[in-house]
Amino acid sequence: MEMERFETESLALMPGQKVQAKVLSHHRWGVVVEIVGYENAGLSASIDMIQQFSRTTSSHDELLALFPPVGSRIDAVIEQIHRWHPPVRVRLSIRAADLESLAWCCDFCGERITLSPGGDALVLDSRSHDGPGSHTIVSHRHCLAERIRPENPGERARALKIGKTR
């Protein structure tokens, strides 16, 4: 029996992408959700309410009031995806600022980068020929281009242009 090298259904999802989610359950730390359209993909998706809202709320009751009701559909944005082993884990944000424009840190330089459409982020998924799993890397265009060998100007130029319409 051949080993599946990597799961592919979740590759359509990427950090900065807006999605709809259905709230399945509440937990002390946040909520477990199902991403609409990926119900049978074997994903584990959640929203860490403590991480997102504990600094802006003054009490535990105020934080609990922000938890979306079980069964409700909500707008969310993908913060992170972890694919290195099954199940694929997706962390979502429902903060208003993130829904407007999600910022993250470049995995090369550590500076802030906008992942939302119109931002300067590239999302790279690295995979191995040796086995399953993949890892998502977020990068500024110029950070990736700078790491491509100077004697390969075509690939450097493509890194600066990928996804841009002009």
Side-chain angles (χ1 to χ4, degrees):
M1 177 185 224
E2 186 177 321
M3 176 178 67
E4 188 175 324
R5 286 187 39 223
F6 50 86
E7 175 276 334
T8 57
E9 192 168 358
S10 74
L11 292 177
L13 298 171
M14 56 193 283
Q17 180 180 347
K18 289 183 181 178
V19 295
Q20 281 248 308
K22 180 181 177 185
V23 178
L24 300 178
S25 61
H26 286 185
H27 298 271
R28 293 170 48 141
W29 49 267
V31 296
V32 171
V33 300
E34 181 175 76
I35 298 174
V36 174
Y38 292 85
E39 293 87 348
N40 299 315
L43 303 174
S44 169
S46 63
I47 302 165
D48 186 333
M49 299 295 288
I50 291 175
Q51 181 264 330
Q52 289 183 34
F53 298 108
S54 65
R55 292 186 190 114
T56 60
T57 54
S58 57
S59 71
H60 185 66
D61 288 339
E62 187 180 348
L63 176 63
L64 287 177
L66 295 175
F67 279 50
V70 171
S72 65
R73 277 192 171 200
I74 57 173
D75 291 325
V77 63
I78 297 173
E79 250 185 358
Q80 296 176 300
I81 301 177
H82 299 286
R83 296 183 178 101
W84 50 81
H85 55 76
V88 171
R89 293 186 351 249
V90 182
R91 178 65 55 90
L92 302 175
S93 174
I94 60 171
R95 286 182 287 227
D98 291 346
L99 287 167
E100 184 68 32
S101 181
L102 180 67
W104 204 252
C105 290
C106 174
D107 287 318
F108 291 121
C109 72
E111 297 293 318
R112 298 293 278 174
I113 186 170
T114 300
L115 282 158
S116 299
D120 195 35
L122 292 178
V123 177
L124 304 115
D125 283 303
S126 59
R127 300 185 294 260
S128 169
H129 282 283
D130 296 334
S134 67
H135 177 67
T136 300
I137 298 167
V138 174
S139 170
H140 289 102
R141 293 171 190 283
H142 65 86
C143 286
L144 177 61
E146 289 169 2
R147 284 159 177 81
I148 297 172
R149 295 186 334 262
E151 59 272 13
N152 197 344
E155 289 304 318
R156 285 179 146 216
R158 281 186 272 287
L160 293 171
K161 293 284 189 189
I162 192 167
K164 293 189 173 185
T165 56
R166 294 180 200 178

